[in-house]
Amino acid sequence: MTVRYARNPDFVFRKIADEVILVPVRATGTPMGSVYTLNEVGAAIWNLLDGQNSVQDVRDRIVEQFEVTPDDAEADVKEFLARLETARAVLPVEG
């Protein structure tokens, strides 16, 4: 089974100066007013979560964009996705 995720539309993604943030804009079970700051890799992963890219696709793109091994990239992507799931910022896509 291919695992894919989509960004939760109840979160907004903004770049302000040199920071990239995620903020819930509707009740999602995440406390309103929570702000999540993303680093460059986190922002790249977020942009790839369109419901079409698999976790492996995301890993491969991160390996292309950053100096990281496939194994390290996969571990980092999976850990980041787990955190996003906990915050309800991403939704698993069926199929």
Side-chain angles (χ1 to χ4, degrees), residues 1 3 7 11 20 23-24 27 29-30 34 41 53 67 73 81 90-91:
M1 181 171 96
V3 180
R7 298 176 294 264
F11 279 74
V20 178
V23 180
T30 299
S34 296
V41 177
N53 289 309
E67 291 184 24
L81 287 171
V90 295
L91 306 168

Side-chain angles (χ1 to χ4, degrees), residues 10-12 22-36 87:
D10 293 337
F11 279 74
V12 293
L22 285 178
V23 180
V25 293
R26 289 188 205 100
T28 61
T30 299
M32 293 299 286
S34 296
V35 175
Y36 302 93

Side-chain angles (χ1 to χ4, degrees), residues 10 20 32-33 56 64 68 82 92-93:
D10 293 337
V20 178
M32 293 299 286
Q56 291 75 26
E64 290 171 8
V68 62
V93 175

